Amino acid sequence: MLRTRPVLKLVRWYSLPNKQSTLAKFKFPNATSTIQSITNDLPTYLNNQQLKVTLHGHMNRKPRIRPQLGFAFLRDSNGDEVQLLATPETTDGSVFSLMGKLLVEDSVSVTGYVQSKVQPKEQSTSSPVSDWELVIEDFQILNSSNSDASKLDKLKHSNPSELPPQYRYLQLRTPAYQNALRIRSKVAQLIRNVFIDNHDFVEIETPLLFKSTPEGAREFLVPTRSYNSFYALPQSPQQYKQILMSSGFTKYFQIAKCFRDEDLRSDRQPEFTQIDMEMSFINSSDQVGIVVEDLINSIWNKVGNKTTYTVNSEGYLQKIVHKQDKLQFSKLDYVTALTKYGIDKPDLRSNLSFTSLEKFFTAKENSEFPVLELCVLKQAFNPEHKYKLPKSFTDDISFKSRKPYVWPVKDDRIVTSWYTKLIDAGVIIPTESFNEEELVRTLNLQPGDIFAVSTRAEFPYENPTPLGRFRQLAMQEFPNKWHRPIVQPDGTLLEKYDFDDVIVGSWVVDFPLFNPKEVQSEDKYPRYDYTQFESTHHPFTMAKLEDYDLLSSEPLKVRGEHYDLVINGVEIGGGSRRIHDPELQTYIFKEILQITNYQALFGHLLKALSMGCPPHAGLALGFDRLCAMLIGSNTIRDVIAFPKNQSGVDPVVESPTGVSEKVLNEYFITTKQ
Amino acid sequence: MLRTRPVLKLVRWYSLPNKQSTLAKFKFPNATSTIQSITNDLPTYLNNQQLKVTLHGHMNRKPRIRPQLGFAFLRDSNGDEVQLLATPETTDGSVFSLMGKLLVEDSVSVTGYVQSKVQPKEQSTSSPVSDWELVIEDFQILNSSNSDASKLDKLKHSNPSELPPQYRYLQLRTPAYQNALRIRSKVAQLIRNVFIDNHDFVEIETPLLFKSTPEGAREFLVPTRSYNSFYALPQSPQQYKQILMSSGFTKYFQIAKCFRDEDLRSDRQPEFTQIDMEMSFINSSDQVGIVVEDLINSIWNKVGNKTTYTVNSEGYLQKIVHKQDKLQFSKLDYVTALTKYGIDKPDLRSNLSFTSLEKFFTAKENSEFPVLELCVLKQAFNPEHKYKLPKSFTDDISFKSRKPYVWPVKDDRIVTSWYTKLIDAGVIIPTESFNEEELVRTLNLQPGDIFAVSTRAEFPYENPTPLGRFRQLAMQEFPNKWHRPIVQPDGTLLEKYDFDDVIVGSWVVDFPLFNPKEVQSEDKYPRYDYTQFESTHHPFTMAKLEDYDLLSSEPLKVRGEHYDLVINGVEIGGGSRRIHDPELQTYIFKEILQITNYQALFGHLLKALSMGCPPHAGLALGFDRLCAMLIGSNTIRDVIAFPKNQSGVDPVVESPTGVSEKVLNEYFITTKQ
């Protein structure tokens, strides 16, 4: 029945389209109902031919029109589907013949009455179809689709995530994508209401035409119609929000667009959205954290319908009850995170942690990485059967640079042989306090265990460490093992639960304020220039007060007043107390970071600080990532209406594009190879 | 007492700032109270020296510290002010001496107890100061201000709008500016909650890195790291929101940043904020209007605390009662607006309207402007006294191009002499139906009246006409005259009211879909090329269905399905039903607007329409202007945290700036004179 129609771009229109058929697309009855509203009140409608209903929607699948019987399938804006029925007895001939022109994804208005489905479901379908049908009495095609929609129909039903990206609009019509963006909208509303209604914040829009301050990630430039004069798009509202703190606002937030012209690997977008906040007259970062915890708990409890947990003092997961006066998520310091879990954003749903073997061995491969450490996966396999390690534990895709040594304990021999091998290979040497019996007792390896061994620096900047990465892989390979137990209301421990049902939050604190600059390395180990310092987060972060003296003596030992919020192994946000003292800020720019042109870059901020700017602190949350986590997706593209691809191209509108020399002239620029 | 301090930029910091004084800025007690909270519960605090309170804030004015008595003035974040008192008896010597260092706008934390003011108010001040005072027991300077704040202090109190724009942060601390941005935040929250809670809309963020589609205003370009490859910042989310309508979303909104690289006269900003909405499966623009009226009424009733009115069928103002099923603001068609009020955004609080004198005269000065029309200001002055016309009625500043003829009726002679003068001057000639007696009766001019006469085209594109401009000036010069009466609940008419208390909304409809292109003109009249058509609003607007045939025969006679929302003479927003038929849209691009490269510019939109995109309509409101109206300001700069100046410069951060050749190379561009 399907007729092919001319593809738009091949046709040359020289005359006004037919009046009658065009205007018919603009004149149609209002919808009386949705599929859901009829289903909810079905007895009223069933087999009452006088009760006319009008539905609007799209053709969800290929209609089947035969001379004596026509079936079509309408999807309404809720994503529900209903079967439409036409027979020569019930449906006017003109309507019947119009149905012959239907294509998949045409938008339509249909009027008729509701009846029980006469035809048994003859078509297997994965999506839920109502068990009533609509008998068609009137019908209008409000806009025709093209043949691409028909060609893509199978994929649309089976795997919409695989639809070609230039057909994003078709993909967005499918229920999962509709849900993703609706959830995002709900979360944004909830966030704003929590900020404003619960905490008396003010939302303030800061400029997007900002100034080039080339620190950190690469910025997008915006030429102006003045010679050599450019705006830059902001990487965050950081500087403007600090200036707002000097402007008398004590509680600021914004759901803000930010821009980074970075390489777009690892699920990044050139423009992204940030929940940005700042508070003044703050003397403790906890005052910021309490507001953030209210947001996070509200979002997950009310929109995500999931329970939030913290790690309690005994190392168990305990349900959060939000309090307005006290932080609920536990605090984990940077060094503990790196030494116990090998990463600054550990997923605390897992109980796995590392043991240092410093007492027994010193690693020799690279003198900056002397600490040998070990992670054991207890009872990972049945030693009575043949066993092979998961491929991900050893392959190159899993580990970007260096890998740990991983062994399954098939029998007792490996309990001692692993380190003799490493000693023989010159990787490690025993320490003076080496004691084999104590080592074996400490490790307590049993057949069925898997263990991984690797090295790290005394103070790790490498992040994740090889074992940190191994721990992530172990959680993926063994989703049902080594869960951190949940303390239930009656005090008993629950060890079996679905990772996806549990939201564990944690603050990571006591980061080093500065890192040594990482330099090009020829081997698999990272290498650092310990004479050049970079801000671990940004140059506006305050030092921990107790480390103040170290700013002049040993800057690398200074810890920052920075705090990251980590949820289920994802760094969802970070913040800090800021430097509001212009003299100290100048010292950091000039003496520590050696920014010679700091006045040109940051003079505006120093000026704003120097007009009695009060103490302040704030935080930013990644809104896209938060929404992706909420819908259970691992890519932020699923919660962005029109994402760019990895080349920075918007496949729907086909941007970016070339621009005429005439336009460039107005901006006093020209292209240059 | 004030000591001058070194200006920051003159000092070279080589050592870490003093530990004790720096850390003191970060350690301070929490605020226990605000000035308001103490005032609200004053009896509890008064003269109870055991009840200690801590306040945070800024020094609102110059402290007066003498050896035996110290006064300072704290402004807290609510903008309230309190006097701080120190005497050698009540206040420790170290605190007392610290107060000697205080400068205007220092941020401080102060602890003490509340007492009735012992000192009679010796300082005259315009702002309200509490009639209690705080006796200082402890005191910390949390950050020092610089001498600029002191120099600017007088201006800060007398006229903060005149503070130099680079000190925007100082300006924003003053109560009126604090209020402006807090109101803006409240309005944004209200808008979102009305859209989502009352009407089930979804807020969706559309990309800001868009594509160059050089139609309409000039766009900002964003170079990429590919040769001759640019994004453009969007002038509005128009195209993306139409693509969203093809993506299954039936009710979209967004409070969206938009960008126009225009000349910045007439209170425009290169980046501005728009309340953007679109609805699909819409068969009448009223469905959009009803949602918008709910927004507008909610905003003015709940945040603005003002009553909204419509013009009823008798021409009176009638209070709005919002209904979910029917438009409440009256509709005014474009031609009536131009012929009665001389502008497409008439301020309907005024009763003034125009009389056509076509029957009596034909204007001869310019054959395209043959219609003579008149506006009378009845009883504008007392004819028994000497009278001179307001300067604005005749000066060059008021009228951009041509001016009307304006006369005061001092005595009866002018009633007939005015047109004989114009006839003698060759400006007009009498028509065949000219009848002096009928003319005099029609005009009914009386001593004390002022009347203005000018010409217009049969179908006016000139907007405002000279009389339209005259009407605006008359409202300014005579704010207490010719008010449109308000129908009160008891049916009586109220003719005396304050213009500022009354919000009158109106829809303006039936705009021409296309304008003839305006060309350079050598005289004061605008000139048009009637063979070249431009979209009056944008090329995506649908024609009125009854004018469909005219699209091929007489495009200039086609009226659009466009609707503007006008409030108190300000065009606050506009919208339309869109063309969802790709063939008709192509016809408009190609045959009417003669856009030869329409596929390159708009092919993405045509493709999205051609996949069964449903009928849709929408609207955008200017959020900045709306907020400015709400706070009673006539400049949007008052409701934007960091506005650009008329040169596009942000005076706070001093953007835009030059960029190094190295960075430009990465973007394959170079500067060119």
Side-chain angles (χ1 to χ4, degrees):
Chain A
M1 274 314 290
L2 290 182
R3 309 186 212 156
T4 54
R5 300 186 203 186
V7 175
L8 190 71
K9 61 185 170 187
L10 298 179
V11 180
R12 301 273 172 266
W13 310 107
Y14 291 111
S15 59
L16 190 60
N18 176 271
K19 178 178 180 177
Q20 197 192 348
S21 66
T22 304
L23 293 193
K25 297 178 177 181
F26 291 88
K27 292 179 187 161
F28 53 96
N30 286 337
T32 61
S33 318
T34 62
I35 296 169
Q36 186 64 54
S37 75
I38 294 173
T39 302
N40 287 349
D41 198 16
L42 195 57
T44 306
Y45 292 97
L46 265 186
N47 304 323
N48 179 353
Q49 300 192 7
Q50 302 316 309
L51 196 51
K52 307 302 179 197
V53 300
T54 298
L55 297 173
H56 294 161
H58 290 266
M59 289 293 97
N60 198 34
R61 51 189 87 233
K62 190 174 160 183
R64 288 170 292 131
I65 313 294
R66 298 170 200 143
Q68 295 305 313
L69 196 59
F71 289 109
F73 305 91
L74 179 93
R75 182 189 69 242
D76 72 7
S77 64
N78 294 328
D80 296 319
E81 183 174 4
V82 69
Q83 180 169 290
L84 310 177
L85 178 78
T87 68
E89 292 75 42
T90 57
T91 308
D92 190 76
S94 65
V95 173
F96 210 98
S97 78
L98 183 66
M99 287 183 69
K101 296 184 183 166
L102 272 175
L103 284 183
V104 170
E105 291 301 329
D106 283 358
S107 58
V108 301
S109 168
V110 54
T111 302
Y113 60 88
V114 173
Q115 68 177 21
S116 299
K117 215 177 248 175
V118 288
Q119 191 82 357
K121 222 184 261 183
E122 61 172 48
Q123 163 166 334
S124 88
T125 164
S126 57
S127 66
V129 181
S130 303
D131 48 5
W132 52 273
E133 60 191 4
L134 190 76
V135 179
I136 298 175
E137 295 190 324
D138 203 359
F139 193 92
Q140 267 178 267
I141 300 180
L142 302 180
N143 211 9
S144 298
S145 192
N146 60 44
S147 55
D148 292 344
S150 299
K151 287 180 202 147
L152 296 165
D153 197 50
K154 204 168 169 184
L155 195 56
K156 179 186 83 184
H157 289 287
S158 63
N159 195 356
S161 68
E162 292 297 317
L163 284 167
Q166 65 268 37
Y167 296 104
R168 182 68 170 176
Y169 28 90
L170 183 59
Q171 192 176 50
L172 288 176
R173 287 182 197 173
T174 62
Y177 286 88
Q178 284 277 315
N179 181 59
L181 292 191
R182 285 166 198 267
I183 290 274
R184 183 182 174 113
S185 172
K186 280 208 183 85
V187 175
Q189 187 196 23
L190 179 65
I191 287 167
R192 289 187 161 102
N193 289 341
V194 168
F195 267 126
I196 297 174
D197 299 339
N198 296 9
H199 301 281
D200 204 25
F201 273 65
V202 181
E203 182 164 27
I204 301 177
E205 297 168 54
T206 52
L208 294 183
L209 297 174
F210 182 47
K211 174 180 172 174
S212 177
T213 60
E215 289 295 303
R218 200 183 283 108
E219 311 160 306
F220 285 106
L221 298 175
V222 181
T224 70
R225 282 177 290 125
S226 300
Y227 177 73
N228 192 21
S229 184
F230 297 81
Y231 299 115
L233 299 177
Q235 299 181 32
S236 87
Q238 181 67 33
Q239 294 181 58
Y240 275 119
K241 77 174 169 177
Q242 291 197 243
I243 296 171
L244 279 175
M245 293 301 101
S246 193
S247 305
F249 294 96
T250 53
K251 294 175 168 184
Y252 144 90
F253 86 101
Q254 183 181 196
I255 302 188
K257 271 287 175 84
C258 306
F259 302 84
R260 278 183 205 164
D261 186 15
E262 293 178 310
D263 294 322
L264 302 178
R265 353 157 228 99
S266 65
D267 201 29
R268 290 200 177 158
Q269 287 283 316
E271 56 182 303
F272 57 98
T273 305
Q274 190 165 293
I275 306 166
D276 194 49
M277 66 177 286
E278 197 79 14
M279 299 167 77
S280 68
F281 293 105
I282 285 293
N283 56 23
S284 155
S285 57
D286 288 7
Q287 291 164 291
V288 172
I290 284 166
V291 176
V292 174
E293 289 190 357
D294 193 12
L295 284 179
I296 293 293
N297 286 312
S298 299
I299 291 168
W300 252 288
N301 300 344
K302 292 182 188 163
V303 182
N305 293 318
K306 293 200 174 154
T307 308
T308 42
Y309 295 89
T310 187
V311 178
N312 71 11
S313 56
E314 291 160 306
Y316 300 136
L317 298 184
Q318 189 161 331
K319 189 176 162 181
I320 291 285
V321 180
H322 177 68
K323 297 211 175 81
Q324 295 284 5
D325 61 348
K326 196 169 169 298
L327 279 190
Q328 296 299 306
F329 290 142
S330 58
K331 283 183 185 171
L332 181 66
D333 70 272
Y334 173 84
V335 171
T336 304
L338 266 289
T339 54
K340 271 182 87 169
Y341 309 115
I343 194 165
D344 65 350
K345 46 181 182 183
D347 190 335
L348 296 174
R349 293 174 300 182
S350 163
N351 232 344
L352 296 172
S353 66
F354 311 154
T355 307
S356 165
L357 303 180
E358 280 172 283
K359 184 174 178 187
F360 305 101
F361 303 105
T362 302
K364 298 305 292 178
E365 210 173 62
N366 182 315
S367 63
E368 288 183 17
F369 295 77
V371 180
L372 196 72
E373 56 181 5
L374 166 136
C375 178
V376 184
L377 311 180
K378 295 300 289 181
Q379 299 173 48
F381 65 96
N382 184 341
E384 290 170 14
H385 297 131
K386 216 175 154 186
Y387 184 71
K388 215 174 153 232
L389 283 177
K391 191 166 165 291
S392 74
F393 284 2
T394 52
D395 70 9
D396 288 338
I397 302 162
S398 307
F399 294 90
K400 273 186 219 154
S401 50
R402 61 202 194 94
K403 300 179 204 173
Y405 302 92
V406 187
W407 291 279
V409 185
K410 292 182 179 169
D411 53 47
D412 281 338
R413 276 172 299 176
I414 193 74
V415 170
T416 50
S417 66
W418 70 268
Y419 57 79
T420 52
K421 284 182 192 166
L422 293 184
I423 290 167
D424 291 348
V427 175
I428 58 174
I429 55 168
T431 60
E432 286 183 7
S433 57
F434 177 81
N435 175 322
E436 180 150 25
E437 193 191 341
E438 188 188 351
L439 174 65
V440 169
R441 199 172 59 241
T442 301
L443 300 186
N444 188 28
L445 293 172
Q446 308 287 340
D449 296 351
I450 295 171
F451 67 104
V453 171
S454 188
T455 64
R456 64 166 167 84
E458 281 286 357
F459 187 94
Y461 293 109
E462 189 184 30
N463 183 0
T465 62
L467 276 202
R469 179 71 189 124
F470 173 78
R471 184 177 181 274
Q472 291 179 321
L473 296 166
M475 285 185 69
Q476 286 167 23
E477 295 288 350
F478 298 93
N480 298 315
K481 283 184 177 279
W482 317 300
H483 287 197
R484 187 178 298 272
I486 295 174
V487 187
Q488 300 190 94
D490 64 0
T492 61
L493 297 182
L494 176 71
E495 306 210 20
K496 295 236 164 202
Y497 55 85
D498 190 332
F499 271 155
D500 292 340
D501 292 338
V502 167
I503 305 297
V504 182
S506 166
W507 295 101
V508 181
V509 298
D510 292 352
F511 284 83
L513 188 56
F514 307 105
N515 283 320
K517 190 176 171 164
E518 188 167 351
V519 290
Q520 209 64 25
S521 167
E522 272 158 41
D523 66 9
K524 59 200 174 176
Y525 287 89
R527 184 166 296 175
Y528 303 97
D529 174 353
Y530 291 92
T531 67
Q532 287 195 65
F533 308 139
E534 288 176 345
S535 295
T536 304
H537 295 98
H538 57 55
F540 319 115
T541 305
M542 181 59 190
K544 289 203 85 165
L545 304 194
E546 53 266 51
D547 292 352
Y548 191 81
D549 291 328
L550 296 170
L551 281 169
S552 54
S553 58
E554 291 179 277
L556 287 177
K557 291 207 171 155
V558 177
R559 292 163 300 166
E561 272 282 357
H562 179 95
Y563 34 94
D564 267 358
L565 178 61
V566 174
I567 291 179
N568 289 5
V570 176
E571 183 217 313
I572 209 77
S576 59
R577 294 182 75 184
R578 324 296 186 185
I579 301 167
H580 67 290
D581 181 319
E583 299 182 17
L584 179 58
Q585 183 66 73
T586 303
Y587 179 85
I588 303 274
F589 286 148
K590 194 167 151 60
E591 300 300 327
I592 298 188
L593 299 173
Q594 307 277 330
I595 302 171
T596 50
N597 61 339
Y598 69 93
Q599 271 295 354
L601 297 183
F602 301 114
H604 55 272
L605 180 65
L606 294 171
K607 275 187 205 157
L609 296 180
S610 74
M611 201 171 261
C613 178
H616 55 283
L619 179 134
L621 296 164
F623 184 54
D624 306 298
R625 179 64 56 201
L626 189 65
C627 291
M629 286 184 80
L630 269 169
I631 64 159
S633 165
N634 59 9
T635 166
I636 63 173
R637 288 194 306 277
D638 285 349
V639 293
I640 293 173
F642 301 107
K644 305 282 192 287
N645 68 18
Q646 295 219 334
S647 311
V649 168
D650 179 335
V652 173
V653 303
E654 291 174 340
S655 66
T657 62
V659 166
S660 75
E661 198 62 27
K662 178 168 163 286
V663 171
L664 297 182
N665 283 343
E666 292 193 88
Y667 289 94
F668 298 99
I669 57 173
T670 184
T671 54
K672 179 184 164 183
Q673 279 285 17
Chain B
M1 272 314 287
L2 291 180
R3 310 185 212 158
T4 53
R5 300 187 202 186
V7 175
L8 190 73
K9 60 185 172 186
L10 298 180
V11 180
R12 300 275 171 267
W13 311 107
Y14 291 111
S15 58
L16 189 61
N18 176 272
K19 179 177 181 178
Q20 195 190 349
S21 66
T22 304
L23 293 192
K25 297 179 177 181
F26 291 88
K27 292 179 188 161
F28 54 96
N30 286 336
T32 60
S33 319
T34 61
I35 296 169
Q36 185 66 53
S37 75
I38 293 172
T39 303
N40 288 347
D41 197 16
L42 195 56
T44 307
Y45 293 96
L46 266 187
N47 305 323
N48 180 352
Q49 300 192 8
Q50 302 316 309
L51 195 51
K52 307 300 179 198
V53 300
T54 298
L55 297 173
H56 293 162
H58 291 265
M59 288 294 98
N60 198 36
R61 51 190 87 232
K62 190 174 162 183
R64 286 171 294 133
I65 314 295
R66 299 168 200 146
Q68 295 305 313
L69 195 60
F71 289 108
F73 305 91
L74 179 92
R75 184 189 67 242
D76 73 5
S77 64
N78 294 328
D80 297 318
E81 183 174 3
V82 70
Q83 180 170 288
L84 310 178
L85 178 79
T87 67
E89 294 74 42
T90 58
T91 309
D92 191 74
S94 65
V95 173
F96 210 95
S97 77
L98 183 64
M99 286 183 70
K101 296 185 183 165
L102 272 176
L103 284 183
V104 171
E105 291 301 327
D106 282 0
S107 60
V108 301
S109 169
V110 55
T111 301
Y113 60 89
V114 172
Q115 69 177 22
S116 300
K117 213 176 251 174
V118 286
Q119 190 83 358
K121 219 183 261 181
E122 60 171 50
Q123 164 165 336
S124 87
T125 165
S126 56
S127 67
V129 181
S130 302
D131 48 5
W132 52 272
E133 61 191 5
L134 190 76
V135 178
I136 298 175
E137 295 190 325
D138 204 359
F139 193 92
Q140 265 180 266
I141 299 180
L142 302 180
N143 211 7
S144 299
S145 192
N146 60 44
S147 56
D148 293 344
S150 299
K151 287 179 202 145
L152 296 166
D153 196 50
K154 204 168 169 186
L155 195 56
K156 181 186 83 185
H157 290 287
S158 63
N159 195 357
S161 68
E162 293 297 315
L163 285 166
Q166 65 269 36
Y167 296 104
R168 181 70 171 176
Y169 28 91
L170 182 58
Q171 192 176 50
L172 288 176
R173 287 182 196 174
T174 62
Y177 286 88
Q178 285 277 315
N179 181 60
L181 293 190
R182 285 168 198 266
I183 290 275
R184 184 182 173 113
S185 173
K186 281 208 182 87
V187 175
Q189 186 194 25
L190 179 65
I191 287 167
R192 289 185 161 102
N193 288 341
V194 168
F195 268 125
I196 297 173
D197 299 340
N198 297 8
H199 300 282
D200 205 24
F201 273 63
V202 181
E203 182 163 26
I204 301 176
E205 296 168 56
T206 52
L208 293 184
L209 296 174
F210 181 47
K211 175 180 172 173
S212 176
T213 59
E215 290 294 303
R218 200 184 283 106
E219 312 159 309
F220 285 105
L221 298 175
V222 181
T224 69
R225 280 178 290 123
S226 301
Y227 178 73
N228 191 21
S229 186
F230 297 82
Y231 299 115
L233 299 177
Q235 300 181 31
S236 87
Q238 181 67 33
Q239 295 182 57
Y240 275 119
K241 78 173 169 178
Q242 292 197 243
I243 297 170
L244 279 175
M245 293 300 101
S246 192
S247 304
F249 294 96
T250 54
K251 293 174 172 185
Y252 144 91
F253 85 102
Q254 182 181 196
I255 301 187
K257 271 286 176 87
C258 305
F259 302 84
R260 280 183 203 161
D261 185 15
E262 292 178 308
D263 295 321
L264 300 178
R265 352 158 229 100
S266 65
D267 201 29
R268 293 204 175 151
Q269 286 283 316
E271 56 181 303
F272 57 98
T273 305
Q274 188 165 294
I275 305 165
D276 195 49
M277 65 177 286
E278 198 79 13
M279 299 167 78
S280 68
F281 293 106
I282 284 292
N283 56 22
S284 154
S285 56
D286 287 8
Q287 292 165 291
V288 173
I290 286 165
V291 176
V292 174
E293 289 189 358
D294 194 12
L295 286 179
I296 293 293
N297 287 311
S298 299
I299 291 168
W300 252 288
N301 301 343
K302 292 181 187 161
V303 182
N305 293 317
K306 294 207 174 146
T307 308
T308 42
Y309 296 88
T310 186
V311 177
N312 73 9
S313 55
E314 292 159 306
Y316 300 135
L317 298 184
Q318 189 163 330
K319 190 177 163 181
I320 292 284
V321 181
H322 178 68
K323 298 211 174 79
Q324 294 283 7
D325 60 348
K326 196 167 168 300
L327 280 189
Q328 297 299 307
F329 290 143
S330 59
K331 282 183 185 171
L332 181 64
D333 71 89
Y334 173 83
V335 171
T336 303
L338 266 288
T339 54
K340 273 183 84 170
Y341 309 115
I343 195 166
D344 65 351
K345 47 181 181 181
D347 190 332
L348 296 174
R349 293 176 298 183
S350 164
N351 232 344
L352 295 173
S353 66
F354 310 154
T355 306
S356 164
L357 302 180
E358 280 172 283
K359 186 176 176 186
F360 304 101
F361 303 105
T362 303
K364 297 306 289 178
E365 210 173 61
N366 182 315
S367 63
E368 287 182 17
F369 294 77
V371 180
L372 195 72
E373 57 180 6
L374 167 135
C375 178
V376 183
L377 312 181
K378 294 301 289 180
Q379 300 174 48
F381 66 96
N382 184 339
E384 290 169 16
H385 297 128
K386 220 177 151 185
Y387 184 71
K388 217 175 148 224
L389 283 177
K391 190 164 166 292
S392 74
F393 283 3
T394 52
D395 71 7
D396 289 339
I397 303 161
S398 307
F399 295 90
K400 273 186 220 154
S401 49
R402 59 201 194 96
K403 301 177 202 173
Y405 301 92
V406 187
W407 290 279
V409 184
K410 292 182 178 169
D411 53 47
D412 280 339
R413 276 170 298 175
I414 193 73
V415 170
T416 51
S417 67
W418 69 269
Y419 56 80
T420 51
K421 283 182 193 167
L422 293 183
I423 291 168
D424 292 348
V427 175
I428 58 173
I429 55 167
T431 59
E432 286 184 8
S433 59
F434 176 79
N435 175 322
E436 180 150 28
E437 194 193 340
E438 189 188 349
L439 174 64
V440 169
R441 200 172 57 240
T442 302
L443 301 187
N444 188 29
L445 295 171
Q446 309 286 341
D449 296 351
I450 295 171
F451 68 104
V453 172
S454 189
T455 63
R456 65 166 166 83
E458 281 285 357
F459 187 94
Y461 293 109
E462 189 185 30
N463 182 1
T465 61
L467 277 201
R469 180 69 188 126
F470 173 79
R471 185 177 180 274
Q472 291 180 321
L473 296 167
M475 287 184 69
Q476 287 168 21
E477 296 288 350
F478 297 93
N480 298 313
K481 283 183 177 282
W482 318 301
H483 288 197
R484 190 178 296 273
I486 295 174
V487 187
Q488 300 190 94
D490 64 0
T492 60
L493 297 182
L494 176 71
E495 306 209 19
K496 294 237 166 203
Y497 56 84
D498 190 334
F499 271 156
D500 291 342
D501 291 338
V502 167
I503 305 297
V504 182
S506 166
W507 295 101
V508 181
V509 298
D510 293 352
F511 284 83
L513 187 56
F514 307 106
N515 284 319
K517 189 175 171 166
E518 188 168 348
V519 291
Q520 207 67 25
S521 167
E522 273 156 41
D523 66 10
K524 59 201 174 177
Y525 287 88
R527 186 168 295 177
Y528 303 98
D529 174 353
Y530 292 92
T531 67
Q532 286 196 65
F533 308 139
E534 289 177 342
S535 295
T536 304
H537 296 97
H538 58 53
F540 318 116
T541 305
M542 180 58 188
K544 289 203 83 165
L545 305 195
E546 52 267 50
D547 293 351
Y548 190 79
D549 291 326
L550 296 169
L551 282 169
S552 55
S553 58
E554 291 179 276
L556 286 178
K557 291 208 171 152
V558 176
R559 292 163 300 166
E561 273 281 358
H562 179 93
Y563 33 93
D564 266 359
L565 178 60
V566 175
I567 291 179
N568 289 5
V570 176
E571 183 216 312
I572 208 79
S576 59
R577 296 182 73 185
R578 323 298 187 185
I579 300 167
H580 67 289
D581 181 318
E583 298 182 16
L584 178 59
Q585 183 66 73
T586 304
Y587 179 84
I588 303 273
F589 286 148
K590 194 167 150 62
E591 300 300 327
I592 297 188
L593 299 173
Q594 306 277 331
I595 302 170
T596 50
N597 61 339
Y598 69 92
Q599 274 294 353
L601 297 183
F602 301 114
H604 55 272
L605 180 65
L606 294 170
K607 275 186 204 155
L609 296 180
S610 74
M611 201 170 261
C613 178
H616 56 284
L619 179 134
L621 296 164
F623 184 55
D624 306 297
R625 179 65 54 200
L626 190 64
C627 292
M629 286 185 80
L630 269 169
I631 64 159
S633 165
N634 58 11
T635 166
I636 63 173
R637 288 194 305 277
D638 286 349
V639 292
I640 293 172
F642 301 106
K644 305 282 191 287
N645 69 17
Q646 295 219 333
S647 310
V649 168
D650 180 336
V652 173
V653 303
E654 291 174 340
S655 67
T657 62
V659 166
S660 74
E661 198 63 27
K662 177 167 163 286
V663 170
L664 296 182
N665 283 343
E666 291 193 89
Y667 290 94
F668 297 100
I669 57 174
T670 184
T671 52
K672 180 183 163 185
Q673 282 284 17

